[in-house]
Amino acid sequence: MGPYFFRKIFLTIFLISLISLSLFSCSSEAPKEGIEVTDAWVRKMPPGVTNTAAFMTIKNHTGSPVTLTGVSMDKAGHVMMHETKVVNDMAKMEHLGKVVIDKEVSFEPGAKHVMIMGLDMSDGADRYNIRLHFENKPSLDVTAQVRDANQ
Ligand SMILES: [Cu+2]
């Protein structure tokens, strides 16, 4: 075993530690800040139907509650926040004036949703811009993919 052998070992150990260091830094996610929106989508409707709904998950990383005061879309006539509730076995939609997001709020089918009225989807667009409005905070633009409801 000459000096080359030890140099090789030293180099190997050095390389392994470099690789594991870079792997570690890749797998550890950077801390998220502000408001994060994931999985935003708009329900695709049959031709001629211009009312639909959008869904998404809004995560609040700010450390204090954030209030969503409304939603808008340039291409739609009217956009509201709704919540579907079952009252006496009847599904009923309730209008939400605001939604307080403590850590996370999901808009999903059968629950809270973004009600969209008067959206012409006949151009076959595969995504839409949705703007979220917050209390004492700049609004946030979200890209929502058009999706079949049963996908
Ligand atoms: Cu609704």
Side-chain angles (χ1 to χ4, degrees):
M1 284 190 278
Y4 281 110
F5 179 77
F6 289 106
R7 224 175 97 182
K8 249 187 190 167
I9 287 189
F10 178 76
L11 268 175
T12 308
I13 291 172
F14 181 67
L15 277 176
I16 287 174
S17 49
L18 255 186
I19 290 166
S20 49
L21 229 151
S22 60
L23 280 179
F24 179 74
S25 55
C26 282
S27 61
S28 67
E29 238 174 84
K32 297 218 164 56
E33 281 174 37
I35 294 161
E36 182 196 8
V37 177
T38 57
D39 203 30
W41 62 285
V42 176
R43 179 185 276 147
K44 187 179 184 170
M45 297 303 274
V49 180
T50 59
N51 293 347
T52 184
F55 310 95
M56 67 189 74
T57 297
I58 306 173
K59 292 174 184 166
N60 174 12
H61 303 287
T62 66
S64 49
V66 161
T67 304
L68 184 64
T69 55
V71 183
S72 64
M73 274 174 89
D74 290 340
K75 298 205 164 167
H78 196 44
V79 183
M80 292 160 284
M81 296 185 290
H82 273 180
E83 183 158 20
T84 302
K85 280 185 174 162
V86 179
V87 182
N88 299 330
D89 290 335
M90 297 265 284
K92 196 179 123 177
M93 291 199 286
E94 221 167 67
H95 178 257
L96 301 172
K98 59 183 184 177
V99 174
V100 177
I101 305 162
D102 192 15
K103 293 255 189 291
E104 182 175 319
V105 166
S106 283
F107 287 77
E108 53 199 6
K112 286 189 184 71
H113 56 277
V114 177
M115 191 82 214
I116 302 168
M117 321 279 271
L119 178 67
D120 180 9
M121 300 177 95
S122 64
D123 60 355
D126 63 352
R127 70 197 66 188
Y128 288 99
N129 187 73
I130 297 178
R131 186 163 296 152
L132 307 180
H133 303 272
F134 298 98
E135 206 170 82
N136 304 320
K137 248 187 174 317
S139 57
L140 181 67
D141 281 1
V142 171
T143 301
Q145 306 290 326
V146 174
R147 231 194 259 169
D148 270 323
N150 37 6
Q151 224 170 32

